Amino acid sequence: DNLMFAVTAAAIGAGAAYLAMGAKAASKGRPKGQAGPPGEEGDRRYLIGGNWKCNGKLEANKERVKVFNEAGPIPSNVDVVLCVPYLHISMVLSELRDDIEVGAQNSGNFSSCGAYTGETGAHQLKDIGCTWVIIGHSERREGFDMPGEPNELCAKKCKIAVDQGLKVMFCIGEKKEEREKGVTMDVCAKQLEPLKSALTKEDWGKISIAYEPVWAIGTGLTATPEMAQETHSQVRKWISDNVSPDVAKAVRIQYGGSMKGANAKDLLAQPDIDGGLIGGASLKADFFNVINGIPK
Protein backbone atom coordinates (compact mmCIF):
# COMPACT_ATOMS: atom_id res chain seq x y z
CA ASP A 1 0.00 0.00 0.00
CA ASN A 2 2.79 2.41 0.89
CA LEU A 3 4.52 1.64 -2.41
CA MET A 4 1.31 2.21 -4.35
CA PHE A 5 0.77 5.51 -2.53
CA ALA A 6 4.32 6.62 -3.34
CA VAL A 7 3.96 5.73 -7.01
CA THR A 8 0.61 7.52 -7.23
CA ALA A 9 1.98 10.60 -5.50
CA ALA A 10 4.96 10.65 -7.82
CA ALA A 11 2.70 10.40 -10.85
CA ILE A 12 0.51 13.23 -9.61
CA GLY A 13 3.57 15.34 -8.92
CA ALA A 14 4.99 14.68 -12.36
CA GLY A 15 1.66 15.55 -13.96
CA ALA A 16 1.43 18.79 -12.02
CA ALA A 17 4.97 19.70 -13.00
CA TYR A 18 4.20 18.99 -16.66
CA LEU A 19 1.10 21.19 -16.56
CA ALA A 20 3.04 23.95 -14.84
CA MET A 21 5.72 23.82 -17.51
CA GLY A 22 3.04 23.97 -20.19
CA ALA A 23 1.36 26.98 -18.55
CA LYS A 24 4.73 28.72 -18.24
CA ALA A 25 5.52 28.13 -21.92
CA ALA A 26 2.07 29.37 -22.96
CA SER A 27 2.36 32.53 -20.88
CA LYS A 28 5.79 33.25 -22.37
CA GLY A 29 4.32 33.35 -25.88
CA ARG A 30 5.97 33.11 -29.26
CA PRO A 31 8.96 35.28 -30.21
CA LYS A 32 7.98 38.60 -31.71
CA GLY A 33 8.35 39.02 -35.44
CA GLN A 34 9.55 42.12 -37.21
CA ALA A 35 7.62 43.98 -39.92
CA GLY A 36 9.57 45.67 -42.67
CA PRO A 37 8.53 48.30 -45.23
CA PRO A 38 5.83 47.09 -47.61
CA GLY A 39 6.64 46.19 -51.16
CA GLU A 40 4.91 47.62 -54.18
CA GLU A 41 1.16 47.85 -53.63
CA GLY A 42 -0.94 45.54 -55.77
CA ASP A 43 -4.52 44.32 -55.95
CA ARG A 44 -3.85 41.57 -53.39
CA ARG A 45 -1.54 40.90 -50.44
CA TYR A 46 1.27 38.50 -51.23
CA LEU A 47 1.12 35.00 -49.76
CA ILE A 48 4.30 32.98 -49.34
CA GLY A 49 3.70 29.46 -48.07
CA GLY A 50 6.38 26.99 -47.08
CA ASN A 51 5.77 23.25 -47.37
CA TRP A 52 8.28 21.24 -45.32
CA LYS A 53 6.71 17.98 -46.56
CA CYS A 54 8.07 14.94 -44.66
CA ASN A 55 11.40 16.55 -43.80
CA GLY A 56 13.38 16.98 -40.64
CA LYS A 57 13.62 15.30 -37.27
CA LEU A 58 12.76 17.37 -34.20
CA GLU A 59 16.16 18.93 -33.56
CA ALA A 60 16.71 19.76 -37.23
CA ASN A 61 13.36 21.52 -37.44
CA LYS A 62 14.02 23.36 -34.20
CA GLU A 63 17.17 24.68 -35.84
CA ARG A 64 15.18 25.77 -38.90
CA VAL A 65 12.81 27.68 -36.64
CA LYS A 66 15.78 29.41 -35.04
CA VAL A 67 17.16 30.39 -38.46
CA PHE A 68 13.80 31.91 -39.47
CA ASN A 69 13.41 33.72 -36.15
CA GLU A 70 16.72 35.48 -36.82
CA ALA A 71 16.13 36.13 -40.53
CA GLY A 72 15.09 39.76 -40.29
CA PRO A 73 11.92 41.67 -41.15
CA ILE A 74 9.03 40.51 -43.34
CA PRO A 75 7.52 43.13 -45.68
CA SER A 76 4.26 44.31 -44.16
CA ASN A 77 2.19 43.42 -47.24
CA VAL A 78 3.28 39.76 -47.23
CA ASP A 79 1.51 36.93 -45.40
CA VAL A 80 3.84 34.04 -44.57
CA VAL A 81 2.80 30.50 -43.60
CA LEU A 82 4.82 27.39 -42.79
CA CYS A 83 3.09 24.02 -43.25
CA VAL A 84 5.11 21.52 -41.24
CA PRO A 85 4.92 17.79 -40.41
CA TYR A 86 2.09 16.94 -38.00
CA LEU A 87 4.48 15.80 -35.28
CA HIS A 88 6.22 19.16 -35.17
CA ILE A 89 3.23 21.51 -35.33
CA SER A 90 3.11 22.03 -31.55
CA MET A 91 6.83 22.77 -31.37
CA VAL A 92 6.62 25.27 -34.22
CA LEU A 93 3.54 26.92 -32.69
CA SER A 94 5.52 27.40 -29.47
CA GLU A 95 8.86 28.53 -30.87
CA LEU A 96 8.34 30.21 -34.26
CA ARG A 97 8.16 34.01 -34.55
CA ASP A 98 4.59 35.25 -34.32
CA ASP A 99 4.45 36.94 -37.74
CA ILE A 100 4.62 33.57 -39.53
CA GLU A 101 1.44 31.51 -39.44
CA VAL A 102 1.50 27.76 -38.95
CA GLY A 103 -0.40 25.21 -40.99
CA ALA A 104 -0.63 21.54 -41.90
CA GLN A 105 -0.11 19.73 -45.19
CA ASN A 106 -3.40 17.84 -45.27
CA SER A 107 -6.60 17.28 -43.31
CA GLY A 108 -9.36 14.69 -43.34
CA ASN A 109 -12.68 14.51 -45.15
CA PHE A 110 -14.70 14.46 -41.94
CA SER A 111 -15.80 17.25 -39.61
CA SER A 112 -15.82 15.55 -36.21
CA CYS A 113 -13.95 12.93 -34.22
CA GLY A 114 -14.50 9.28 -35.05
CA ALA A 115 -13.05 6.01 -36.30
CA TYR A 116 -10.59 7.45 -38.83
CA THR A 117 -7.38 5.60 -38.03
CA GLY A 118 -4.25 7.53 -38.96
CA GLU A 119 -6.16 10.67 -40.00
CA THR A 120 -6.16 14.20 -38.61
CA GLY A 121 -9.25 16.39 -38.76
CA ALA A 122 -9.39 20.05 -39.68
CA HIS A 123 -11.20 20.66 -36.38
CA GLN A 124 -8.19 19.23 -34.53
CA LEU A 125 -5.75 21.39 -36.46
CA LYS A 126 -7.82 24.48 -35.70
CA ASP A 127 -8.02 23.49 -32.03
CA ILE A 128 -4.23 23.38 -31.54
CA GLY A 129 -3.66 26.72 -33.26
CA CYS A 130 -3.16 26.07 -36.98
CA THR A 131 -4.62 28.68 -39.31
CA TRP A 132 -3.88 27.14 -42.73
CA VAL A 133 -3.85 23.76 -44.44
CA ILE A 134 -2.69 22.59 -47.87
CA ILE A 135 -5.31 20.57 -49.76
CA GLY A 136 -4.88 18.74 -53.05
CA HIS A 137 -1.10 18.81 -53.34
CA SER A 138 0.00 16.94 -56.45
CA GLU A 139 1.87 14.37 -54.38
CA ARG A 140 -1.37 13.48 -52.61
CA ARG A 141 -3.39 13.56 -55.82
CA GLU A 142 -0.88 11.08 -57.27
CA GLY A 143 -0.70 8.87 -54.16
CA PHE A 144 2.16 7.11 -52.40
CA ASP A 145 2.13 3.55 -53.79
CA MET A 146 -1.65 3.69 -53.41
CA PRO A 147 -4.54 5.44 -55.15
CA GLY A 148 -4.31 9.21 -54.98
CA GLU A 149 -6.99 11.74 -54.04
CA PRO A 150 -9.55 12.46 -56.79
CA ASN A 151 -10.75 15.97 -57.62
CA GLU A 152 -14.08 15.58 -55.81
CA LEU A 153 -12.40 14.44 -52.60
CA CYS A 154 -10.01 17.39 -52.64
CA ALA A 155 -12.94 19.79 -53.01
CA LYS A 156 -14.82 18.11 -50.16
CA LYS A 157 -11.79 18.34 -47.87
CA CYS A 158 -11.35 22.00 -48.77
CA LYS A 159 -14.94 22.81 -47.83
CA ILE A 160 -14.68 20.95 -44.53
CA ALA A 161 -11.45 22.76 -43.65
CA VAL A 162 -12.99 26.15 -44.42
CA ASP A 163 -16.09 25.31 -42.38
CA GLN A 164 -13.84 24.39 -39.45
CA GLY A 165 -12.21 27.82 -39.55
CA LEU A 166 -9.03 27.10 -41.50
CA LYS A 167 -7.72 28.90 -44.56
CA VAL A 168 -6.74 26.66 -47.46
CA MET A 169 -4.01 26.64 -50.08
CA PHE A 170 -5.75 24.56 -52.76
CA CYS A 171 -3.34 23.02 -55.25
CA ILE A 172 -3.90 22.44 -58.95
CA GLY A 173 -1.56 21.72 -61.85
CA GLU A 174 -0.64 19.60 -64.84
CA LYS A 175 1.92 16.86 -65.53
CA LYS A 176 4.68 17.22 -68.12
CA GLU A 177 2.88 15.19 -70.79
CA GLU A 178 -0.27 17.28 -70.28
CA ARG A 179 1.71 20.49 -70.72
CA GLU A 180 3.24 19.08 -73.92
CA LYS A 181 -0.21 18.16 -75.26
CA GLY A 182 -1.43 21.71 -74.67
CA VAL A 183 -4.16 20.72 -72.18
CA THR A 184 -2.81 22.53 -69.10
CA MET A 185 -5.94 24.61 -68.55
CA ASP A 186 -8.25 21.66 -69.25
CA VAL A 187 -6.55 19.80 -66.39
CA CYS A 188 -6.71 22.80 -64.05
CA ALA A 189 -10.39 23.39 -64.90
CA LYS A 190 -11.26 19.78 -64.03
CA GLN A 191 -9.53 20.20 -60.68
CA LEU A 192 -11.34 23.47 -60.01
CA GLU A 193 -14.80 22.36 -61.19
CA PRO A 194 -15.86 20.46 -58.02
CA LEU A 195 -14.56 23.34 -55.92
CA LYS A 196 -17.01 25.67 -57.68
CA SER A 197 -19.99 23.69 -56.41
CA ALA A 198 -18.50 22.96 -52.97
CA LEU A 199 -17.76 26.54 -51.92
CA THR A 200 -19.97 29.54 -51.31
CA LYS A 201 -18.86 32.93 -52.58
CA GLU A 202 -17.87 33.82 -49.00
CA ASP A 203 -15.78 30.64 -48.71
CA TRP A 204 -13.57 31.80 -51.58
CA GLY A 205 -12.28 34.58 -49.34
CA LYS A 206 -10.63 31.92 -47.18
CA ILE A 207 -8.69 30.07 -49.85
CA SER A 208 -5.85 30.65 -52.25
CA ILE A 209 -5.14 28.68 -55.40
CA ALA A 210 -1.64 27.24 -55.65
CA TYR A 211 -0.77 26.49 -59.27
CA GLU A 212 1.96 23.87 -59.23
CA PRO A 213 3.09 22.45 -62.57
CA VAL A 214 3.81 18.89 -61.47
CA TRP A 215 6.79 18.61 -63.82
CA ALA A 216 8.50 21.48 -61.98
CA ILE A 217 8.13 20.20 -58.40
CA GLY A 218 11.39 19.03 -56.90
CA THR A 219 12.95 18.65 -60.35
CA GLY A 220 14.82 21.93 -60.50
CA LEU A 221 12.77 22.81 -63.59
CA THR A 222 10.71 25.97 -63.40
CA ALA A 223 8.11 27.46 -65.68
CA THR A 224 9.36 30.71 -67.14
CA PRO A 225 7.72 33.79 -65.62
CA GLU A 226 5.80 34.21 -68.89
CA MET A 227 4.56 30.58 -68.84
CA ALA A 228 3.50 30.86 -65.22
CA GLN A 229 1.75 34.21 -65.79
CA GLU A 230 -0.15 32.79 -68.76
CA THR A 231 -1.58 29.93 -66.69
CA HIS A 232 -2.29 32.15 -63.68
CA SER A 233 -4.17 34.55 -65.94
CA GLN A 234 -6.19 31.67 -67.41
CA VAL A 235 -7.02 30.36 -63.93
CA ARG A 236 -8.19 33.82 -62.86
CA LYS A 237 -10.34 34.10 -66.00
CA TRP A 238 -11.86 30.66 -65.29
CA ILE A 239 -12.79 31.79 -61.79
CA SER A 240 -14.25 35.02 -63.19
CA ASP A 241 -16.35 33.12 -65.73
CA ASN A 242 -17.43 30.28 -63.43
CA VAL A 243 -17.62 31.81 -59.93
CA SER A 244 -17.67 35.62 -60.16
CA PRO A 245 -15.49 38.53 -61.33
CA ASP A 246 -15.28 39.82 -57.75
CA VAL A 247 -13.94 36.50 -56.46
CA ALA A 248 -11.48 36.30 -59.36
CA LYS A 249 -10.12 39.76 -58.61
CA ALA A 250 -9.68 39.02 -54.90
CA VAL A 251 -8.42 35.42 -54.87
CA ARG A 252 -4.69 34.95 -54.50
CA ILE A 253 -2.96 32.58 -56.93
CA GLN A 254 0.42 31.26 -55.81
CA TYR A 255 3.07 29.67 -58.01
CA GLY A 256 4.32 26.32 -56.72
CA GLY A 257 6.95 24.96 -59.08
CA SER A 258 10.50 25.15 -57.66
CA MET A 259 10.33 28.82 -56.71
CA LYS A 260 13.45 29.90 -54.84
CA GLY A 261 15.43 33.02 -54.09
CA ALA A 262 17.13 33.00 -57.48
CA ASN A 263 13.90 33.16 -59.52
CA ALA A 264 11.35 34.59 -57.08
CA LYS A 265 11.79 38.23 -58.11
CA ASP A 266 10.97 37.59 -61.77
CA LEU A 267 8.03 35.30 -60.95
CA LEU A 268 6.53 37.61 -58.34
CA ALA A 269 6.75 40.56 -60.72
CA GLN A 270 4.00 39.00 -62.86
CA PRO A 271 0.58 40.64 -62.36
CA ASP A 272 -1.34 37.42 -61.61
CA ILE A 273 1.28 35.71 -59.42
CA ASP A 274 0.41 36.63 -55.85
CA GLY A 275 2.98 34.55 -54.02
CA GLY A 276 4.42 31.07 -53.89
CA LEU A 277 4.05 27.67 -52.33
CA ILE A 278 7.66 26.80 -51.64
CA GLY A 279 9.07 23.31 -51.12
CA GLY A 280 12.83 22.80 -50.90
CA ALA A 281 13.71 26.47 -50.43
CA SER A 282 11.41 26.67 -47.38
CA LEU A 283 13.79 24.37 -45.51
CA LYS A 284 16.62 26.91 -45.77
CA ALA A 285 17.37 30.56 -45.12
CA ASP A 286 16.71 31.06 -48.85
CA PHE A 287 13.01 31.10 -47.91
CA PHE A 288 13.50 34.70 -46.82
CA ASN A 289 15.01 35.57 -50.20
CA VAL A 290 11.68 34.45 -51.68
CA ILE A 291 9.73 36.50 -49.13
CA ASN A 292 11.82 39.56 -49.96
CA GLY A 293 11.58 38.91 -53.69
CA ILE A 294 8.26 40.75 -53.99
CA PRO A 295 8.24 43.88 -56.18
CA LYS A 296 9.66 46.85 -54.31
Side-chain angles (χ1 to χ4, degrees):
D1 290 346
N2 289 339
L3 178 60
M4 180 63 71
F5 176 80
V7 170
T8 303
I12 292 172
Y18 178 81
L19 290 172
M21 288 171 59
K24 183 178 180 181
S27 65
K28 184 178 178 182
R30 292 166 63 179
K32 285 290 181 185
Q34 182 182 357
E40 184 178 303
E41 186 176 351
D43 291 332
R44 297 161 291 275
R45 289 179 59 84
Y46 292 97
L47 173 61
I48 306 295
N51 178 12
W52 284 5
K53 305 190 179 184
C54 187
N55 283 302
K57 295 183 179 179
L58 181 61
E59 289 306 315
N61 284 345
K62 278 177 172 279
E63 185 60 31
R64 288 189 173 103
V65 167
K66 182 180 178 183
V67 168
F68 292 163
N69 286 349
E70 298 171 354
I74 292 173
S76 59
N77 61 334
V78 180
D79 297 325
V80 182
V81 187
L82 279 179
C83 295
V84 306
Y86 284 134
L87 287 172
H88 299 159
I89 288 174
S90 293
M91 178 276 290
V92 175
L93 279 168
S94 298
E95 300 185 16
L96 181 66
R97 55 193 287 174
D98 64 0
D99 56 351
I100 299 179
E101 296 182 77
V102 180
Q105 301 165 18
N106 181 49
S107 60
N109 64 333
F110 47 87
S111 57
S112 59
C113 297
Y116 309 109
T117 301
E119 290 289 322
T120 301
H123 60 293
Q124 295 171 308
L125 296 173
K126 177 68 175 177
D127 181 58
I128 65 168
C130 287
T131 52
W132 284 87
V133 64
I134 297 170
I135 297 293
H137 193 280
S138 62
E139 291 160 2
R140 297 199 60 84
R141 288 180 184 269
E142 187 66 19
F144 307 103
D145 293 327
M146 59 184 178
E149 298 180 354
N151 297 336
E152 293 74 14
L153 177 62
C154 293
K156 179 182 178 183
K157 289 166 70 169
C158 181
K159 173 61 173 172
I160 290 170
V162 167
D163 285 349
Q164 294 300 319
L166 294 175
K167 292 169 282 187
V168 176
M169 288 179 269
F170 189 83
C171 300
I172 62 173
E174 84 285 3
K175 297 178 182 178
K176 188 171 186 288
E177 59 270 25
E178 293 166 335
R179 161 69 64 170
E180 291 171 346
K181 289 179 182 177
V183 296
T184 292
M185 195 55 217
D186 293 337
V187 173
C188 292
K190 287 178 181 177
Q191 294 166 339
L192 287 166
E193 186 66 36
L195 201 63
K196 177 183 74 173
S197 56
L199 300 181
T200 67
K201 187 175 179 179
E202 291 72 26
D203 290 338
W204 281 89
K206 301 170 186 174
I207 76 163
S208 72
I209 301 297
Y211 166 62
E212 43 165 21
V214 179
W215 49 271
I217 298 173
T219 64
L221 300 173
T222 308
T224 66
E226 294 75 20
M227 289 167 62
Q229 165 60 23
E230 179 183 34
T231 304
H232 280 233
S233 176
Q234 291 171 346
V235 169
R236 198 175 302 282
K237 183 179 186 307
W238 187 95
I239 295 171
S240 179
D241 292 344
N242 291 273
V243 182
S244 84
D246 289 343
V247 167
K249 184 177 180 180
V251 71
R252 293 183 286 190
I253 306 176
Q254 302 158 271
Y255 176 74
S258 293
M259 185 187 283
K260 48 189 177 288
N263 59 25
K265 184 176 179 180
D266 290 339
L267 286 163
L268 293 170
Q270 303 303 313
D272 288 298
I273 298 181
D274 305 310
L277 180 54
I278 317 302
S282 73
L283 297 165
K284 300 174 286 190
D286 191 43
F287 187 52
F288 267 70
N289 293 327
V290 177
I291 292 168
N292 287 291
I294 65 166
K296 301 289 177 66

